[in-house]
Amino acid sequence: MEIKKIRLGNLLLPSNVLMAPLAGYTCFPFRMLAYEQGAGLCFTEMVSANALKYDDRATKRLLITSEEEKIKAVQLLGGNPAVMGQMAESELLKCFDIIDINMGCPVPNVFKSGEGSGLMLDLKRAEAVIRSCKKSGKLITVKFRTGIEEENMFAAEFARMCEAAGADMITVHGRSRSMMYDGKPHMEEIAHAKAAVSIPVIANGGIFSAEDAKRMMERTGADGVMIARYGLANPFIFSELTGKECKKTALQILTEQMKLTLQYYDETYTLVYMKKLASYMMKKKKGTKKYKESLHRSGSMTQLQQVIKMIFDENDFM
C-alpha cells in the first residue's frame, strides 16, 4: 500500500496507518509502542463524556499521557450534544489535539442509550454532537459504521453529514452495527463514503495482515487504514507497512511496556494490562497454550516477568 502523510488542520500525521481505540488496551504505553513502530495516529480508549462530567476516577485514568506523545487524540463517547461539547472544551481534554467521536460502538447498552452506533439512527442529533464538539477549536474526527442493519447501509449519507457538520476526518468501519465484530467488511460502502466527501477517509475492519491492509486500500480508495485487534497480536504490523526499521524482539517490547506502564499506573493495573497484551502477542506462536494458565495466575510483577520470558525468548522477532 502507498504510505503517505495526512494533513489534519495544522497537524501532519507521519503515516496513514492508524491504530484504533480499543477498550482495555490503547493506554498511553501501548500508544507509544504503536507510534514507535510507525503508526501515524493512535487514540485513547473510549472515554465516556458523562463519566468525565461526574469526575469518575477510573475514566480520568484513561486520559493519561505525557509530552512524549507528540500527537494526542482522545476518543469521546456520548449522545448528548451539550455534554459532549462541555467536555470537549473542558480542562480535562485541554492537552489533546484531536477529539474522535465514537459513533460506531455496537455494544447493546451503548447502542440502546443512543450513544456509539446508536447515533447513526438520528442524523440530526449526530450532527449536533459534531457541531458542539467543533466549538472547542480542536480537530474533530468521527468513527462510524456502514449502517445499522446489513440490509440497509448508508455510509455515504452519514459521511456527507459528518463533513457538513465540521468533521476534519472520518473512519468507516466496514461492518454494520448488526454484524458486531464478525463477517467480511463491506469495502464498497467505504468506497462510497470516500467518493462522497473531500476530507480524509480511513478504512477500518477485518485487517489481520499486511495483505489485508493493501487490499483494503485498493478496494476502497481510502486515504489510510486503521488497524484494530491485529495491532495487539502483532504490533510490528505498523513497521511492516510503513517500512520503519525495528529490530526489537517481542520480549524487548513487552519488557519495555511493563516498565513504562509501571511509571504511570499502579501494579494492579500493570498486571492486568500486561497479561492481556502478552496473551494477544502469543496467539501467533506455536506451543504457547501450556503457558496460558501460568500467565493469568501470575500474582506479582516478578512472576509475570518470569512467565513472559519463558514464552518469548530473546531471539523471537515474531
Side-chain angles (χ1 to χ4, degrees):
M1 62 175 277
E2 179 188 359
I3 299 302
K4 59 184 180 181
K5 297 179 180 180
I6 295 179
R7 169 68 64 182
L8 284 184
N10 62 341
L11 294 179
L12 188 63
L13 308 187
S15 83
N16 56 342
V17 183
L18 283 57
M19 178 65 205
L22 292 175
Y25 292 97
T26 50
C27 55
F28 169 63
F30 188 83
R31 298 196 304 272
M32 292 305 295
L33 167 59
Y35 277 129
E36 178 189 56
Q37 293 295 317
L41 185 62
C42 306
F43 300 86
T44 67
E45 300 173 54
M46 180 175 73
V47 176
S48 166
N50 282 327
L52 282 184
K53 180 182 177 181
Y54 292 106
D55 205 34
D56 180 73
R57 180 186 292 183
T59 303
K60 288 170 68 175
R61 187 173 63 184
L62 302 177
L63 301 175
I64 289 175
T65 183
S66 84
E67 290 303 314
E68 292 178 82
E69 191 170 17
K70 301 304 180 185
I71 302 177
K72 301 177 178 64
V74 59
Q75 191 190 62
L76 204 57
L77 173 76
N80 184 312
V83 174
M84 288 287 280
Q86 180 186 349
M87 291 303 101
E89 296 184 60
S90 71
E91 283 295 311
L92 289 169
L93 302 189
K94 185 177 180 180
C95 71
F96 288 92
D97 307 292
I98 299 169
I99 293 177
D100 182 69
I101 304 173
N102 185 320
M103 295 193 182
C105 181
V107 176
N109 63 325
V110 171
F111 178 73
K112 290 176 183 177
S113 68
E115 300 177 341
S117 58
L119 280 166
M120 295 193 74
L121 289 170
D122 189 341
L123 265 67
K124 287 186 178 180
R125 188 158 55 89
E127 179 182 357
V129 166
I130 296 171
R131 291 189 184 280
S132 188
C133 289
K134 189 71 176 177
K135 290 177 182 177
S136 67
K138 297 180 183 295
L139 294 166
I140 303 298
T141 63
V142 183
K143 188 170 187 285
F144 61 91
R145 288 180 171 248
T146 55
I148 303 301
E149 300 294 337
E150 199 169 359
E151 299 76 22
N152 181 29
M153 295 187 286
F154 48 93
E157 179 186 359
F158 204 81
R160 281 191 290 267
M161 178 278 294
C162 290
E163 181 177 40
D168 298 284
M169 183 178 77
I170 57 173
T171 299
V172 186
H173 184 148
R175 299 183 180 98
S176 65
R177 186 263 164 179
S178 63
M179 294 172 71
M180 298 297 282
Y181 300 103
D182 299 315
K184 291 183 179 180
H186 291 269
M187 297 186 192
E188 71 282 359
E189 282 293 313
I190 301 176
H192 293 333
K194 170 60 183 171
V197 297
S198 59
I199 56 176
V201 175
I202 307 300
N204 170 237
I207 300 175
F208 295 103
S209 68
E211 290 70 29
D212 287 341
K214 293 171 186 174
R215 188 180 306 111
M216 178 69 86
M217 286 287 286
E218 290 169 359
R219 295 273 298 275
T220 65
D223 298 286
V225 293
M226 180 177 281
I227 310 295
R229 288 167 289 171
Y230 188 65
L232 304 173
N234 178 21
F236 297 103
I237 183 61
F238 300 103
S239 56
E240 290 172 16
L241 288 170
T242 63
K244 189 171 183 178
E245 186 177 3
C246 178
K247 294 184 178 180
K248 291 182 179 179
T249 65
L251 179 57
Q252 288 173 322
I253 291 289
L254 287 166
T255 301
E256 290 177 3
Q257 281 287 288
M258 197 177 299
K259 290 179 180 178
L260 186 57
T261 308
L262 281 171
Q263 283 181 34
Y264 290 89
Y265 305 83
D266 59 31
E267 185 169 322
T268 300
Y269 178 93
T270 303
L271 277 169
V272 173
Y273 165 64
M274 291 306 304
K275 287 176 185 179
K276 291 190 297 184
L277 182 58
S279 292
Y280 253 107
M281 290 179 67
M282 65 191 270
K283 281 184 177 181
K284 293 180 65 182
K285 296 176 61 61
K286 294 180 180 179
T288 56
K289 287 185 178 180
K290 60 184 178 182
Y291 295 114
K292 196 168 185 179
E293 186 178 348
S294 297
L295 178 70
H296 291 289
R297 287 179 60 186
S298 299
S300 68
M301 297 308 301
T302 301
Q303 290 177 348
L304 184 60
Q305 286 175 314
Q306 291 173 345
V307 175
I308 287 177
K309 283 181 180 179
M310 285 191 290
I311 300 171
F312 303 90
D313 62 54
E314 286 288 355
N315 298 315
D316 176 27
F317 283 82
M318 291 186 72

